[in-house]
Amino acid sequence: AKGARLAKAMSTLTIAELIASGKGKPDPDAEVPQAIRDEIFNELKKNPANRTCFDCTAKNPTWASVTFGTQMCLDCSGIHRRLGVHVSFCRSVLMDKWTYRQIYRAALGGNARAREHWKRCGVDPYQKIESKYSSNTAQQYKRLLEKDVADACSRGLTALPMAQGGSAAAANASAAATASADPFAAYLNGISQPPQPVQAPATVPAPLPVRTAPPPAAAPPPPAAA
């Protein structure tokens, strides 16, 4: 029962909270909690390129190629499935379960990166799907992505772009957890902060002396009478 409660509590943590709690390096083949899956894909949707299907111009794609880390619409995902999982393995970003190894591919790939690779190779990223993913361009990109995913599997969640901006949040979460567990540690942490420099008050220049006009010269005495 205790293990079930712990698992339930862990399933609701954010990426920053997992990192702060020391759970930021999960088993790459473990199932990703729904909260983490949704957090990652919500962050990916902030990039305009991921709000359009990688293979056509349909808006708000809800499927992804795990193999290439790209997001696509339902219609294009059907074509991917016909190609076979050995060419492109597809998952729903809203309904399906993902492993960490799989979701690292989506987080480190993305439509913008893949599209830039196709263009750099002089290939139209909107070419016909059947030939697009069997090309040398696709195989080169898959090898590049696999290298990054292997690194993420060894480093854990800190390797994800959305975790880089959350490092401060992770540090704050860790400090909060320490403070709640040990008030004395919180006190020490507070007094260990470097003092802020005291800004000297602005000096006001002394007023200039007021120059007064000299008194008028006295009139000369009248001449003596003869």
Side-chain angles (χ1 to χ4, degrees):
K2 183 178 179 181
R5 288 196 299 271
L6 178 61
K8 184 178 180 180
M10 295 295 293
S11 68
T12 61
L13 297 181
T14 64
I15 293 176
E17 290 168 340
L18 279 177
I19 295 173
S21 65
K23 305 293 184 182
K25 191 178 177 182
D27 178 356
D29 297 312
E31 182 182 321
V32 179
Q34 181 178 333
I36 297 296
R37 181 202 68 185
D38 293 344
E39 180 182 357
I40 288 175
F41 282 111
N42 286 338
E43 286 295 321
L44 290 173
K45 291 297 184 186
K46 292 179 180 179
N47 186 327
N50 293 324
R51 296 199 293 267
T52 302
C53 175
F54 178 67
D55 295 315
C56 70
T57 58
K59 302 297 183 182
N60 301 316
T62 56
W63 288 79
S65 169
V66 176
T67 310
F68 295 95
T70 53
Q71 298 189 42
M72 69 196 77
C73 66
L74 176 62
D75 291 342
C76 289
S77 72
I79 302 176
H80 278 250
R81 286 192 292 272
R82 288 199 295 271
L83 296 177
V85 296
H86 64 288
V87 177
S88 179
F89 178 48
C90 296
R91 307 291 283 169
S92 168
V93 305
L94 301 175
M95 300 179 293
D96 285 334
K97 296 178 179 179
W98 291 66
T99 66
Y100 282 98
R101 190 187 305 274
Q102 291 171 343
I103 211 162
Y104 289 162
R105 300 181 80 93
L108 297 173
N111 291 1
R113 181 183 179 184
R115 191 167 289 125
E116 177 60 29
H117 173 80
W118 257 260
K119 290 180 178 179
R120 189 165 56 247
C121 293
V123 181
D124 180 8
Y126 291 107
Q127 69 181 131
K128 194 174 181 180
I129 292 177
E130 287 81 358
S131 57
K132 179 178 184 177
Y133 292 97
S134 59
S135 64
N136 288 332
T137 300
Q139 299 310 308
Q140 290 171 3
Y141 182 71
K142 185 167 70 171
R143 287 193 293 269
L144 289 173
L145 187 57
E146 286 172 348
K147 182 179 178 181
D148 291 342
V149 171
D151 177 66
C153 288
S154 64
R155 292 173 54 196
L157 294 170
T158 57
L160 303 187
M162 56 279 300
Q164 305 301 325
S167 57
N172 291 336
S174 179
T178 302
S180 62
D182 188 351
F184 184 66
Y187 168 74
L188 291 179
N189 183 62
I191 64 176
S192 64
Q193 299 298 321
Q196 297 296 321
V198 178
Q199 186 175 2
T203 58
V204 180
L208 295 174
V210 178
R211 305 186 70 176
T212 58

